[in-house]
Amino acid sequence: TINNYVIPVFGFDLSARYPLSQAASAVTPGEFPADGTRVEQDLVFVGQGDVRGNVKRHNQSALAGATVRLCRLPNRGVCSDVPPNPSNQATSAADGSFLMLANPPRDYFLFAHKAHPQATRNHGARPILGEGIVSVTAGDIAVADVTMEPTGSIAGQVLGTDGTPVVGAYVEIAPLPGPAAPIRGTATDTFGRYRFFDVPLGDYRVYAEDPSSNAQGTGEAMVTVDTEAVANITLRPFGLVRVQVNHARGIPADNAW
């Protein structure tokens, strides 16, 4: 092990626990040889099963870096590592494969998510999601693939009131019907263009804001499988409002707010 401990040279009982699945090996007795101070003892997880598979996009291409969780409950939001719902998890490799060891036999739900880099200002970014089911039997390797949800993309250009591209405008999308929290955010390039990728299917409100002037604009887009919806946005014009605050007798009210 990575840690060394001083152990009295007597008979002993040895066991192991796998923290990812809460599986425990059988207690194995052992003893040191006469006049010996070193002994090797194997431990076996009996009555457990392994799960392997692949994480795939909806078009069946491999997806690396996705987190896959083995859960006893049918809700990813309550899947935790805390008993009575211990779960196992793994990260898909470059070829999309994953392996989870030493799982107690039973039926499980598989939940996968892949983090997305296009975070909003206040709500982060909604990940890509996928799910599946698997049955684990003792002493066997169960094979189960996880297919992620279908996605599309949204792209467009942000223009000022005079028709010139707005560089560095903040753009975010939120599901319709609203109100709903935005799920992705990005900024326009030097040509005022933006693009959201791996967007779940559905209707979206697209919001754009010029950080230098606070001018705003909105649009809508409908995302379908493997297509790119276009939503060009022209920021709304705005003017200056001057307000004079007076007391009832007509005298200006200084420092009013």
Side-chain angles (χ1 to χ4, degrees):
T1 65
I2 60 173
N3 298 311
N4 295 318
Y5 297 94
V6 177
I7 302 175
V9 186
F10 301 113
F12 58 85
D13 290 332
L14 197 63
S15 64
R17 180 175 294 276
Y18 188 51
L20 290 180
S21 65
Q22 304 295 323
S25 71
V27 176
T28 303
E31 60 182 21
F32 290 89
D35 300 325
T37 59
R38 180 183 178 88
V39 65
E40 293 185 6
Q41 180 71 52
D42 294 334
L43 295 173
V44 179
F45 286 94
V46 178
Q48 312 297 322
D50 301 335
V51 176
R52 68 175 175 87
N54 294 278
V55 180
K56 302 177 180 180
R57 291 183 176 273
H58 64 279
N59 60 7
Q60 299 304 299
S61 62
L63 182 62
T67 300
V68 185
R69 302 198 71 180
L70 198 65
C71 187
R72 297 186 179 190
L73 302 178
N75 185 337
R76 70 173 67 242
V78 296
C79 186
S80 71
D81 296 320
V82 180
N85 180 44
S87 61
N88 204 341
Q89 69 177 38
T91 301
S92 60
D95 62 354
S97 63
F98 66 89
L99 175 64
M100 290 181 279
L101 304 172
N103 305 287
R106 62 170 295 138
D107 293 333
Y108 290 95
F109 297 90
L110 284 167
F111 294 115
H113 69 272
K114 168 72 172 179
H116 198 283
Q118 292 183 306
T120 66
R121 288 186 293 197
N122 301 313
H123 300 280
R126 180 193 182 280
I128 314 170
L129 304 176
E131 60 185 61
I133 57 175
V134 64
S135 294
V136 175
T137 55
D140 199 3
I141 300 177
V143 179
D145 294 338
V146 178
T147 301
M148 307 302 277
E149 62 187 329
T151 60
S153 58
I154 301 175
Q157 189 177 34
V158 178
L159 304 174
T161 55
D162 58 357
T164 59
V166 180
V167 179
Y170 172 71
V171 187
E172 66 182 19
I173 56 174
L176 289 173
I183 66 167
R184 303 278 170 78
T186 190
T188 57
D189 61 16
T190 55
F191 297 97
R193 297 175 302 198
Y194 72 90
R195 183 175 186 270
F196 293 102
F197 61 94
D198 283 337
V199 180
L201 307 187
D203 296 324
Y204 290 89
R205 173 181 177 268
V206 185
Y207 167 84
E209 177 183 313
D210 181 358
S212 63
S213 65
N214 292 324
Q216 303 171 0
T218 60
E220 293 187 1
M222 182 177 67
V223 177
T224 56
V225 181
D226 292 334
T227 61
E228 185 161 276
V230 177
N232 295 319
I233 299 175
T234 299
L235 302 182
R236 294 187 295 269
F238 59 92
L240 177 66
V241 177
R242 295 185 181 276
V243 178
Q244 175 68 44
V245 180
N246 294 328
H247 293 289
R249 59 184 183 276
I251 301 174
D254 295 338
N255 301 319
W257 58 278

